[in-house]
Amino acid sequence: MSAITAHHDDHAHSHEPSFAQQLRSNRLGLWLFFFSELFLFAALLVARFFLWGGARPELSQVLGLIATSVLLLSSFFVYRAESAMAHGDRKTFQSGMLIAAFLGTLFFIGVVFMEWNIFGLQGEIAGIELFGHLKPTDGVFGAVFYAMTGMHALHVLSGIIFLLIVWNNGRKGHFSSEEHWGVEAAALYWHYVDVIWVFFYPALYLIGTAG
Amino acid sequence: MNTLSIWLTSAYVRGLIGQIIGTAVGFGFITAIRAVMGLDTSNIEPAVVFGALIGVPGSLLGAGVLTDWIKWIFGKKTPLRHGAPEGKPEWSRYINVDVNHKVIGIQYGFTSVLVLLIGGFFAVLFRIELAAPGMQYLTNDNFNTLFSAHGIIMIASILLGVGAMVNYLVPLMIGASDMAFPRLNAFSYWVGIPAVVLILSGMFVGGWDTGWVGYPPLSLRAPLGVQLFLLGFYINGLSSIAGSINLLVTVTTMRAKGMSLFRMPIFVWAAIAASIIQFTATQTVGMALLMVVTERTIGLNFFNPTTGGNPILYQHLFWFYSHPVVYVFILPGLGVISELLPVFSRKPLFGYKWIALSSLGIAFVGFLVWAHHMFTSGMNDALRIPFMISTMFVAIPTGVKFFSWMATMWEGKLSFETPMLFVLGSISVFLIGGVTGPILGTIPTDMHLHDSYWVVGHFHSTMFGGFVFPFFAAVYYWYPKISGKMYKESLGKLHFWLMTPAFWLMSLGQMRAGLLGMRRRIADYDPALGVETTQVLVTVAALVIGWSVLIMVYNLISSARSQKMAATNPWNSRSPEWQIPYPVPEFNYDAPFEVVGDPYDYGLDGSKYVQTIPMPAVGD
Ligand SMILES: [Cu+2]
């Protein structure tokens, strides 16, 4: 059975969408993906308010604030890298991407190794505890905290990988100031993951009474 | 290469091998880590869960879905590959990863019918058990696993069927050369395969007894099989999300010249409305499923009430998806009804805009009614009345569709070929499902009927009327377009006249059993209920439905082998896909068309919907 006739290659190209049309589709697709993911993060926020109500666990405020600042700062460097690419400035693009990926990694370390404290470490600087105490099995506090930070950290991790892929391809000269959809997508994704944290951070660290 | 070796090297086989290897790797990895950490390795559940997760990328790698994307990571540009794999015959496209939307649509369709037969077989097994009180040949556990698997397998089948119709039809109907993201389209189909494999394998590692809803705390205590069910369900969601985003982008950016929103074939509106639900609500059920998986696997405590969790949260997150998702099933089905009625009535579709907007209306209201499944759950009482009222609002956009269908047929020149019969059958069956719904949406009557067989009868009427009948109508209707042959009308009619009365009997019988006190999801019942005769009739009806579907399968296969080609436009349709001869070119329309009129002006002399744009000669 053959429902479709094959064509020669040269004919095929006339049917493929132009760069401009594909770019339009890509942009819309990415934004729809963001909108879709909003429901994932909203489900986690619903779980937080449903299970915690007006309470929240005892968390290290300093650690949370530093991690949040680091993440927000990384967005600035991604923005710089993207606009540098749009202007053909490859050097600023590369350094911006690398710095952002580095800051993202710091945030990731802050969550997984310090806040989660997966190696069970102890230590303090100037009276501020460096490592968290909350365990995943600590009732609804642990469950929601680990689910929200974990789901977000997963996005941060994929974002770091995305930034590094784009950095590497940019280094090899695969993007131009006119055609750099990969850079744009990575930057948008990074900003998006940042914005999600802007909502997660107060829900976890600020709203409600601790204890 | 002979046929056997082509099959053995197909993406299905490679994907399955990849899934097995991935699962083994994931399983071994966690087992090793747990051994090193000195944890109890006789508890294999964490290793099974991780293995199941790693099996999915294993399957995709094996099938070759990810190849292009992996090359992109290393900066290699890859042109879209068209046609059969190197050195293999044309038909092998259908058993390998292909990016053409028509190939993918047919793959969805085949898989959907296959999965439908599996799920139907499960139903037949436990239906025979229910024909008499007492346990005949199933154990309680087997019964539980069978009805649970029947539910989720049928949902997978329906989602695949929706994917088949949407993928094959929408790009053709809007004059696009393909979907906006052909590789993502292939991903959406191929990621559904390991999902089904996971669900089916869950039956062999203890099964599960939660039904397709997977409510905690029961799902927290269910056998190991429930994990594979939850993960399979979750992975299937990825297919929905990717597929629906692709569809929405395709319709937005790739419509033919002149095809404004209100000049699209009406099925496209249904596909849009269904996609809006799919790409949003699927995320919340995915989260709910993952929460159960993590609670069981690593002890995150969301739902266990004895340690502070709350199982009601699961129900909210679950139904926020699972109510709207039935509209993902029925909206494309109702779209098929609206699409076919004007063709077989030779009259314009009555109230095109109202039908189009009612699809969006149903999708929208569908987001506001989820808690009508929870009237007896112990949720906050204040939520009950608002959700009862919002549920009643569903009747408005649905009513719009019914009246439009009646008005479309009114004084039309009706003809009754098999697709039209199935359209009329769906209207009758969906009506049964429709009028039995408000009784469940009303709090006092729901208190009585909740968890009874009435729910089973109502639900199956909506699913058959809203999806199964229209899907079969669509299969018969577009069969000549897809295969180039005409199905056998006599067998088609036989299928219809067996299935429709049998279905009426089945669903009305189920409702009667429910009214008499028969509980759903129960392997046995008290003879004193007086439902024995009804149960026998329901079982016989279910068997007749099963046989009638097999007749359809036979009809489709045997007709494809016949020598006689079908006419190009056997139904005299105005829709663009029928204006081009078989076979449809790789990129659909060799010469682009432009929309110059309304789609359903049947019977209006000289009116035109589409016309080919004359192409200037291009030198090669
Ligand atoms: Cu509902």
Side-chain angles (χ1 to χ4, degrees), chain A residues 22-77:
Chain A
Q22 191 65 48
L23 184 64
R24 212 157 72 89
S25 296
N26 289 351
R27 283 192 177 135
L28 179 61
L30 188 65
W31 281 102
L32 289 177
F33 171 70
F34 289 160
F35 191 71
S36 167
E37 292 255 293
L38 274 189
F39 283 75
L40 169 80
F41 295 116
L44 286 165
L45 280 174
V46 166
R48 182 254 173 256
F49 286 101
F50 202 95
L51 295 175
W52 288 8
R56 67 176 157 85
E58 200 78 71
L59 296 166
S60 165
Q61 291 293 335
V62 178
L63 210 55
L65 195 61
I66 293 175
T68 306
S69 321
V70 166
L71 194 61
L72 291 182
L73 190 62
S74 72
S75 246
F76 167 74
F77 285 99

XYZ file of all heavy atoms in Angstrom, chain A residues 22-77:
455
model
N 9.327 29.617 9.224
C 9.643 28.641 10.259
C 9.942 29.359 11.583
O 9.571 28.890 12.647
C 10.842 27.786 9.827
C 11.089 26.577 10.713
C 9.946 25.559 10.660
O 9.487 25.186 9.590
N 9.465 25.113 11.816
N 10.570 30.530 11.485
C 10.874 31.290 12.704
C 9.587 31.697 13.416
O 9.478 31.610 14.644
C 11.698 32.533 12.336
C 12.180 33.380 13.508
C 13.155 32.593 14.371
C 12.833 34.672 13.027
N 8.610 32.133 12.615
C 7.310 32.503 13.178
C 6.700 31.301 13.913
O 6.218 31.415 15.037
C 6.386 32.941 12.039
C 5.376 34.003 12.401
C 4.933 34.743 11.139
N 4.067 33.927 10.292
C 2.740 33.881 10.397
N 2.138 34.580 11.330
N 2.007 33.141 9.587
N 6.748 30.134 13.266
C 6.215 28.917 13.887
C 6.992 28.575 15.151
O 6.412 28.229 16.181
C 6.286 27.747 12.911
O 5.464 27.980 11.808
N 8.331 28.657 15.066
C 9.155 28.311 16.222
C 8.819 29.184 17.416
O 8.693 28.709 18.547
C 10.642 28.498 15.887
C 11.132 27.441 14.918
O 10.422 26.479 14.625
N 12.336 27.614 14.411
N 8.696 30.491 17.151
C 8.416 31.417 18.255
C 7.085 31.083 18.893
O 6.979 30.953 20.123
C 8.392 32.858 17.736
C 9.769 33.402 17.510
C 9.731 34.898 17.276
N 11.102 35.382 17.123
C 11.482 36.233 16.170
N 10.603 36.703 15.313
N 12.750 36.615 16.104
N 6.070 30.906 18.069
C 4.749 30.589 18.612
C 4.794 29.275 19.386
O 4.248 29.163 20.484
C 3.725 30.508 17.479
C 2.299 30.169 17.909
C 1.751 31.218 18.856
C 1.392 30.036 16.692
N 5.476 28.290 18.810
C 5.561 26.989 19.471
C 6.219 27.104 20.826
O 5.751 26.524 21.818
N 7.292 27.892 20.904
C 7.994 28.034 22.182
C 7.096 28.709 23.213
O 7.042 28.284 24.369
C 9.279 28.837 21.986
C 10.196 28.891 23.206
C 10.730 27.507 23.524
C 11.351 29.861 23.001
N 6.367 29.743 22.803
C 5.486 30.427 23.756
C 4.343 29.524 24.199
O 3.925 29.563 25.358
C 4.959 31.742 23.160
C 5.995 32.821 23.262
C 6.808 33.272 22.261
C 6.377 33.532 24.441
N 7.669 34.234 22.744
C 7.426 34.421 24.080
C 5.944 33.531 25.770
C 8.038 35.278 24.985
C 6.557 34.394 26.682
C 7.597 35.248 26.290
N 3.838 28.712 23.288
C 2.793 27.768 23.694
C 3.353 26.765 24.693
O 2.685 26.373 25.648
C 2.219 27.047 22.470
C 1.345 27.895 21.544
C 0.903 27.085 20.339
C 0.125 28.415 22.283
N 4.590 26.357 24.469
C 5.230 25.444 25.422
C 5.341 26.100 26.798
O 5.044 25.489 27.820
C 6.607 25.048 24.890
C 7.452 24.284 25.875
C 7.128 22.982 26.225
C 8.558 24.879 26.463
C 7.896 22.281 27.144
C 9.332 24.185 27.379
C 8.997 22.886 27.725
N 5.727 27.382 26.802
C 5.809 28.099 28.077
C 4.446 28.128 28.756
O 4.316 27.904 29.961
C 6.280 29.541 27.860
C 7.726 29.656 27.464
C 8.201 30.799 26.836
C 8.619 28.622 27.717
C 9.528 30.914 26.477
C 9.947 28.729 27.353
C 10.400 29.883 26.731
N 3.413 28.429 27.975
C 2.071 28.507 28.531
C 1.663 27.155 29.102
O 1.060 27.061 30.176
C 1.091 28.961 27.446
C -0.263 29.328 27.987
C -0.431 30.487 28.731
C -1.357 28.516 27.770
C -1.672 30.817 29.244
C -2.607 28.841 28.282
C -2.756 30.006 29.017
N 2.018 26.102 28.374
C 1.710 24.753 28.835
C 2.398 24.471 30.164
O 1.785 23.966 31.114
C 2.164 23.760 27.758
O 2.168 22.457 28.247
N 3.669 24.847 30.258
C 4.419 24.584 31.486
C 3.893 25.393 32.666
O 4.071 24.998 33.817
C 5.901 24.884 31.259
C 6.563 23.914 30.305
C 7.444 22.921 31.049
O 8.466 23.342 31.614
O 7.088 21.739 31.057
N 3.233 26.517 32.369
C 2.630 27.282 33.464
C 1.696 26.395 34.279
O 1.608 26.520 35.499
C 1.811 28.457 32.907
C 2.497 29.769 32.614
C 1.452 30.821 32.303
C 3.345 30.210 33.797
N 0.994 25.499 33.590
C 0.034 24.647 34.296
C 0.744 23.631 35.176
O 0.238 23.243 36.219
C -0.900 23.957 33.296
C -1.954 24.888 32.780
C -1.635 25.866 31.855
C -3.250 24.814 33.251
C -2.591 26.754 31.399
C -4.224 25.688 32.794
C -3.888 26.662 31.871
N 1.917 23.208 34.741
C 2.724 22.309 35.568
C 3.136 23.019 36.861
O 2.955 22.511 37.965
C 3.956 21.886 34.769
C 5.053 21.157 35.526
C 4.665 19.706 35.683
C 6.356 21.262 34.772
N 3.667 24.247 36.702
C 4.128 24.976 37.880
C 2.939 25.411 38.737
O 3.028 25.427 39.972
C 4.988 26.163 37.455
C 6.265 25.747 36.777
C 6.517 26.075 35.452
C 7.211 24.988 37.456
C 7.685 25.674 34.829
C 8.377 24.585 36.835
C 8.614 24.923 35.519
N 1.830 25.757 38.078
C 0.643 26.134 38.843
C 0.160 24.960 39.691
O -0.265 25.141 40.834
C -0.464 26.605 37.900
N 0.245 23.745 39.134
C -0.187 22.569 39.910
C 0.648 22.455 41.181
O 0.125 22.122 42.254
C -0.056 21.310 39.062
N 1.937 22.753 41.070
C 2.796 22.697 42.254
C 2.426 23.796 43.256
O 2.410 23.566 44.469
C 4.258 22.829 41.840
C 4.834 21.573 41.186
C 6.138 21.874 40.476
C 5.048 20.486 42.241
N 2.120 24.991 42.734
C 1.714 26.063 43.637
C 0.401 25.716 44.331
O 0.225 25.979 45.518
C 1.577 27.380 42.859
C 2.896 28.108 42.569
C 2.646 29.309 41.659
C 3.560 28.565 43.863
N -0.514 25.120 43.577
C -1.778 24.677 44.176
C -1.491 23.695 45.306
O -2.054 23.803 46.406
C -2.694 24.037 43.115
C -3.842 23.283 43.771
C -3.234 25.096 42.168
N -0.595 22.752 45.053
C -0.252 21.768 46.085
C 0.313 22.481 47.310
O -0.018 22.158 48.451
C 0.753 20.759 45.540
N 1.152 23.495 47.058
C 1.753 24.234 48.186
C 0.674 24.890 49.048
O 0.678 24.751 50.270
C 2.731 25.295 47.647
C 3.455 26.082 48.744
C 2.887 27.490 48.856
N 3.428 28.229 49.978
C 2.764 28.450 51.121
N 1.558 27.979 51.286
N 3.313 29.157 52.088
N -0.274 25.607 48.405
C -1.275 26.312 49.204
C -2.296 25.354 49.789
O -2.832 25.581 50.863
C -1.936 27.416 48.362
C -1.019 28.585 48.153
C -0.330 28.748 46.957
C -0.785 29.491 49.181
C 0.550 29.801 46.787
C 0.099 30.548 49.012
C 0.773 30.704 47.810
N -2.561 24.264 49.084
C -3.512 23.273 49.582
C -2.959 22.577 50.823
O -3.668 22.366 51.801
C -3.766 22.249 48.476
C -5.050 21.492 48.619
C -6.196 21.914 47.966
C -5.122 20.347 49.392
C -7.390 21.223 48.087
C -6.311 19.645 49.522
C -7.448 20.088 48.863
N -1.680 22.219 50.784
C -1.131 21.397 51.864
C -0.487 22.222 52.974
O -0.453 21.795 54.123
C -0.106 20.402 51.301
C -0.670 19.351 50.345
C 0.448 18.506 49.750
C -1.674 18.442 51.049
N 0.052 23.390 52.631
C 0.713 24.188 53.659
C -0.213 25.246 54.263
O -0.063 25.632 55.417
C 1.946 24.919 53.091
C 3.106 24.034 52.788
C 3.118 22.670 52.829
C 4.405 24.438 52.379
N 4.354 22.202 52.456
C 5.174 23.270 52.177
C 5.011 25.674 52.152
C 6.499 23.299 51.759
C 6.334 25.714 51.736
C 7.066 24.523 51.554
N -1.133 25.762 53.418
C -1.987 26.846 53.895
C -1.145 28.029 54.325
O -0.279 28.493 53.582
N -1.359 28.527 55.534
C -0.638 29.701 56.008
C 0.673 29.375 56.706
O 1.286 30.252 57.313
N 1.114 28.123 56.633
C 2.362 27.764 57.305
C 3.467 27.551 56.275
O 3.209 27.399 55.089
C 2.160 26.485 58.111
N 4.695 27.574 56.736
C 5.812 27.185 55.879
C 6.933 26.646 56.760
O 6.996 26.960 57.957
C 6.291 28.349 55.020
C 6.923 29.486 55.794
C 7.472 30.555 54.846
N 7.588 31.830 55.515
C 8.632 32.207 56.259
N 9.640 31.377 56.447
N 8.653 33.392 56.831
N 7.824 25.852 56.182
C 8.891 25.275 56.998
C 9.969 26.307 57.319
O 10.064 27.358 56.678
C 9.461 24.170 56.107
C 9.139 24.599 54.718
C 7.864 25.365 54.787
N 10.765 25.978 58.317
C 11.928 26.798 58.692
C 13.005 26.609 57.634
O 13.524 25.502 57.469
C 12.430 26.288 60.044
C 13.283 27.246 60.832
C 12.454 28.307 61.534
O 11.746 27.965 62.509
O 12.512 29.460 61.105
N 13.325 27.663 56.872
C 14.343 27.543 55.828
C 15.375 28.639 56.018
O 15.098 29.658 56.640
C 13.715 27.691 54.441
C 12.699 26.617 54.043
C 11.917 27.082 52.826
C 13.399 25.299 53.758
N 16.557 28.420 55.441
C 17.606 29.429 55.560
C 17.303 30.608 54.648
O 17.411 30.511 53.434
C 18.965 28.825 55.196
O 19.884 29.864 54.976
N 16.903 31.737 55.247
C 16.530 32.906 54.457
C 17.713 33.440 53.657
O 17.563 33.862 52.514
C 15.978 33.996 55.383
C 14.628 33.661 56.006
C 13.510 33.593 54.966
O 13.582 34.204 53.914
N 12.484 32.814 55.278
N 18.886 33.421 54.266
C 20.066 33.971 53.584
C 20.380 33.156 52.335
O 20.590 33.695 51.246
C 21.267 33.982 54.547
C 22.505 34.512 53.835
C 20.950 34.821 55.767
N 20.361 31.840 52.509
C 20.642 30.962 51.380
C 19.650 31.196 50.245
O 20.022 31.309 49.071
C 20.552 29.508 51.867
C 21.429 28.485 51.177
C 22.883 28.905 51.215
C 21.257 27.131 51.863
N 18.363 31.293 50.598
C 17.320 31.502 49.595
C 17.513 32.809 48.856
O 17.397 32.872 47.627
N 17.857 33.851 49.619
C 18.017 35.169 49.004
C 19.214 35.190 48.064
O 19.148 35.719 46.947
C 18.182 36.217 50.107
C 17.999 37.672 49.667
C 16.600 37.897 49.118
C 18.267 38.610 50.837
N 20.319 34.588 48.506
C 21.522 34.577 47.662
C 21.258 33.800 46.373
O 21.565 34.251 45.274
C 22.711 33.966 48.428
C 23.103 34.895 49.593
C 23.905 33.757 47.499
C 24.173 34.337 50.493
N 20.647 32.609 46.516
C 20.374 31.791 45.334
C 19.483 32.551 44.353
O 19.737 32.565 43.140
C 19.716 30.478 45.745
N 18.458 33.217 44.887
C 17.552 33.966 44.025
C 18.290 35.079 43.295
O 18.103 35.275 42.088
C 16.400 34.549 44.866
O 15.789 33.482 45.595
C 15.358 35.208 43.990
N 19.151 35.809 44.017
C 19.879 36.908 43.378
C 20.792 36.388 42.283
O 20.893 36.987 41.201
C 20.729 37.663 44.409
O 20.033 37.777 45.608
N 21.447 35.267 42.557
C 22.362 34.700 41.558
C 21.596 34.359 40.277
O 22.037 34.655 39.169
C 23.047 33.439 42.133
C 23.724 32.641 41.042
C 24.050 33.837 43.200
N 20.414 33.772 40.456
C 19.630 33.366 39.290
C 19.180 34.591 38.495
O 19.263 34.619 37.255
C 18.422 32.541 39.737
C 17.716 31.776 38.627
C 18.655 30.772 37.987
C 16.484 31.072 39.151
N 18.714 35.626 39.204
C 18.251 36.825 38.504
C 19.405 37.495 37.766
O 19.246 37.965 36.640
C 17.615 37.803 39.500
C 16.279 37.322 40.078
C 15.692 38.355 41.023
C 15.282 37.001 38.969
N 20.564 37.489 38.395
C 21.731 38.097 37.764
C 22.073 37.357 36.463
O 22.452 37.966 35.462
C 22.916 38.034 38.739
C 24.151 38.836 38.339
C 23.807 40.318 38.264
C 25.280 38.598 39.339
N 21.909 36.018 36.465
C 22.254 35.245 35.267
C 21.393 35.669 34.082
O 21.850 35.661 32.938
C 22.083 33.752 35.543
O 20.712 33.433 35.637
N 20.141 36.041 34.350
C 19.264 36.463 33.255
C 19.830 37.690 32.533
O 19.711 37.817 31.318
C 17.868 36.790 33.799
O 16.918 35.872 33.319
N 20.441 38.578 33.320
C 21.037 39.762 32.707
C 22.116 39.369 31.698
O 22.180 39.898 30.584
C 21.622 40.669 33.800
C 22.525 41.737 33.255
C 21.992 42.838 32.593
C 23.905 41.636 33.386
C 22.824 43.812 32.072
C 24.736 42.614 32.871
C 24.191 43.706 32.213
N 22.941 38.400 32.067
C 24.035 38.017 31.163
C 23.511 37.298 29.914
O 24.080 37.413 28.836
C 25.056 37.157 31.909
C 25.915 37.964 32.826
C 25.647 38.036 34.182
C 26.978 38.703 32.318
C 26.420 38.811 35.019
C 27.769 39.478 33.146
C 27.481 39.533 34.522
